[in-house]
Amino acid sequence: RRAQVDAEAQRQAAIVAATDGDTVLVAPGTWVEELDYLGKAITVASESGAAATILANVNSAVTFQNDEGPGSILRGFTVTGNNSGRAAIHGPGTSPRIVQCEIRGNRTSFTLAAGVFCDGTLVDCVVEDNHNGNGTGGVAGALTLRRCLLRGNTGYDGAAALLLGGGMEDCRVLDNSSAEGS
């Protein structure tokens, strides 16, 4: 099943209505709301890609908190504007797939990473210009990163990535900096 979401509908309402295996297709635009996958193995995908579909939120834009696994997929969004106590994509202990997303311009001082904090897989993503005053700017967790770019992230204890398992394949790590750590 595919549920197309446009400016007249709420994206979170479509997630609530979705069942495992469904795709929630989001129209281009800038959306200011938090998406919670509610433990569902669904795909939330932008209709036109990250350049045209932006999740902007001062709190975590995307939350995985109910044992989501690789069947929970976020595809084709720019995730930006987070300035909370959690990562922009927040899911400690979960393992979603994040594909073709740009995670940039997020700030925090209260969690391990400003950009992404989970144990999932990032594929063809850009993690850029995120800042963490106490932890890692870019990503943290037992993550697997494939063909990703980590650039311009800053943190106190780490710059681009704090990998607690997983690893990187064919990734570029450029111009990241940390006050302490590596």
Side-chain angles (χ1 to χ4, degrees), residues 3-162:
Q4 188 162 355
V5 178
D6 60 23
E8 302 302 315
Q10 294 291 316
R11 280 112 337 254
Q12 185 62 43
I15 291 172
V16 169
T19 60
D20 287 350
D22 284 355
T23 296
V24 175
L25 190 59
V26 179
T30 298
W31 309 110
V32 182
E33 68 182 288
E34 182 176 334
L35 302 181
D36 185 334
Y37 272 64
L38 304 171
K40 296 182 180 186
I42 60 173
T43 298
V44 178
S46 69
E47 194 175 59
S48 299
T53 315
I54 300 165
L55 298 174
N57 199 335
V58 296
N59 295 312
S60 293
V62 181
T63 300
F64 300 99
Q65 59 186 351
N66 295 294
D67 297 322
E68 289 89 351
S72 300
I73 301 168
L74 179 71
R75 181 185 310 274
F77 291 91
T78 293
V79 180
T80 189
N82 178 54
N83 192 18
S84 73
R86 302 187 309 172
I89 298 175
H90 189 80
T94 66
S95 56
R97 288 181 48 86
I98 301 162
V99 182
Q100 299 169 338
C101 289
E102 297 181 11
I103 301 103
R104 62 180 57 186
N106 299 289
R107 307 281 181 261
T108 192
S109 291
F110 303 106
T111 190
L112 283 180
V116 178
F117 180 22
C118 71
D119 295 338
T121 302
L122 276 71
V123 180
D124 298 321
C125 291
V126 174
V127 180
E128 181 173 56
D129 296 326
N130 299 289
H131 174 75
N132 189 336
N134 286 317
T136 301
V139 301
L143 288 156
T144 299
L145 290 88
R146 293 187 180 103
R147 298 180 306 279
C148 293
L149 170 63
L150 290 88
R151 177 176 53 207
N153 299 288
T154 59
Y156 180 78
D157 240 357
L162 172 61

